[in-house]
């Protein structure tokens, strides 16, 4: 046997390239072909198939307020899965780049941290609720403890920006994959990033890498930040969609 007809790095590059192509086209196929449950017209989304985790209900949508705010009711059950151990229903630490968040406790005991302080709030104790400022890192959870029951919150984000899509998409994906735990991390990062929400548990440089690399790559292979099926309102077609349909114009 003589020498390979091509230098080793070219052979390696071709092998690596075809593997990458196969993998990404596989993902694209999978992501695009996935059958998604439609929640249009439904009252709420359970973020688990078993209905034993967190329930999301839009009280006032971004469309209702002309983009000024939107309000969601969150029912965080006693045993809900939490991003932090021992904190049922806790989200990963995060901040909203452009929105203030107003949390009212309707029932149960809320645990939360903002900055570094861990705090609690009871239903009825703080009638004005809690305001988390735009840019302030925070996480919420059910602090009822064992036998403490469910936690019911009403949360308003102001201004609405991308609206309830971030929460409805995370809930819908959780439902689709049986639990939020099973959703691809790439999908979750994309949805948070496009939802103008920064995960604060990772170093700033890592979040920059998410915005600069993960987001374009994920969208390039077919992931979407938000899926329109995961919306509890029957979406009325927007003017630009009608235009697209009538004239075949590209509205993007
Ligand atoms: C929720 O239901 C699923 C499926 O029945 C079960 O595996 C899981 O342990 C339940 N989670 C909680 C917190 O009860």
């Amino acid at each position: 046997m003589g020498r390979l007809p091509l230098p080793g790095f070219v052979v390696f590059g071709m092998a690596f390239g075809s593997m990458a192509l196969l993998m990404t086209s596989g993902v694209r196929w999978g992501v695009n072909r996935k059958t998604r449950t439609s929640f249009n017209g439904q009252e709420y989304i359970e973020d688990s198939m078993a209905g034993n985790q967190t329930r999301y209900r839009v009280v006032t949508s971004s469309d209702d307020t002309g983009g000024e705010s939107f309000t969601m009711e969150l029912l965080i059950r006693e045993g809900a899965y939490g991003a932090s151990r021992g904190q049922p229903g806790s989200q990963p630490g995060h901040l909203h780049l452009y929105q203030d968040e107003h949390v009212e406790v309707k029932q149960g005991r809320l645990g939360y941290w903002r900055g570094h302080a861990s705090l609690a709030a009871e239903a009825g104790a703080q009638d004005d609720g809690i305001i988390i400022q735009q840019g302030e890192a925070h996480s919420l959870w059910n602090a009822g403890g064992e036998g403490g029951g469910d936690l019911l919150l009403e949360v308003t984000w102001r201004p609405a920006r991308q609206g309830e899509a971030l929460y409805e998409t995370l809930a819908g994906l959780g439902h689709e994959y049986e639990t939020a735990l099973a959703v691809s991390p790439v999908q979750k990062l994309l949805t948070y990033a496009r939802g103008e929400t920064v995960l604060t548990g990772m170093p700033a440089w890592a979040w920059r890498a998410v915005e600069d690399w993960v987001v374009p790559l994920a969208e390039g292979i077919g992931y979407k930040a938000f899926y329109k099926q995961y919306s509890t309102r029957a979406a009325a077609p927007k003017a630009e969609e009608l235009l697209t349909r009538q004239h075949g114009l590209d509205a993007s």
Side-chain angles (χ1 to χ4, degrees):
M1 283 291 287
R3 283 162 48 86
L4 281 172
L6 294 168
F9 73 89
V10 174
V11 175
F12 178 79
M14 281 165 59
F16 184 79
S18 9
M19 253 171 57
L21 199 71
L22 268 174
M23 280 166 65
T24 51
S25 56
V27 170
R28 177 191 284 278
W29 191 86
V31 168
N32 291 343
R33 293 294 293 262
K34 177 146 183 56
T35 331
R36 297 178 190 280
T37 308
S38 173
F39 290 93
N40 288 185
Q42 302 290 311
E43 204 185 339
Y44 53 75
I45 304 179
E46 290 279 357
D47 73 352
S48 71
M49 286 256 186
N52 59 5
Q53 303 278 316
T54 302
R55 190 187 75 188
Y56 294 72
R57 186 167 78 88
V58 176
V59 177
T60 315
S61 73
S62 169
D63 282 352
D64 293 340
T65 65
E68 201 189 292
S69 70
F70 69 95
T71 301
M72 294 191 78
E73 180 195 81
L74 306 185
L75 177 70
I76 303 177
R77 296 191 177 85
E78 193 182 325
Y81 158 72
S84 307
R85 250 172 217 286
Q87 296 180 343
S90 58
Q91 318 111 332
H94 65 279
L95 63 82
H96 304 295
L97 287 169
Y98 306 111
Q99 295 158 303
D100 291 344
E101 183 172 333
H102 181 192
V103 186
E104 269 186 79
V105 186
K106 296 290 184 189
Q107 179 195 318
R109 185 176 159 84
L110 166 74
Y112 64 102
W113 61 261
R114 52 201 305 186
H116 295 289
S118 257
L119 301 157
E122 308 273 349
Q126 277 161 294
D127 289 332
D128 297 340
I130 295 151
I131 307 236
I132 292 153
Q133 305 287 341
Q134 140 191 21
E136 191 178 7
H138 62 283
S139 174
L140 312 177
W141 63 90
N142 182 347
E146 284 227 0
D150 299 341
L151 170 69
L152 188 68
L153 302 176
E154 203 167 280
V155 189
T156 300
W157 287 265
R158 198 179 299 271
R161 303 286 297 187
Q162 82 292 331
E164 52 281 1
L166 167 64
Y167 301 93
E168 291 205 306
T169 296
L170 290 174
L173 288 165
H175 184 94
E176 218 71 276
Y177 290 86
E178 292 190 15
T179 151
L181 265 180
V183 179
S184 148
V186 170
Q187 174 69 71
K188 282 190 271 199
L189 289 172
L190 170 64
T191 302
Y192 277 113
R194 286 290 187 218
E196 301 171 329
T197 296
V198 175
L199 297 183
T200 53
M202 60 172 85
W205 62 262
W207 185 257
R208 265 201 307 281
V210 167
E211 288 183 328
D212 294 349
W213 297 97
V214 178
V215 165
L217 193 77
E219 288 178 337
I221 60 180
Y223 284 95
K224 293 196 174 63
F226 310 121
Y227 296 91
K228 64 180 188 310
Q229 294 92 333
Y230 304 146
S231 165
T232 47
R233 305 281 167 126
K238 297 229 156 59
E240 63 264 30
E241 284 169 9
L242 284 175
L243 266 181
T244 312
R245 261 187 250 159
Q246 283 162 7
H247 307 293
L249 299 174
D250 184 3
S252 62

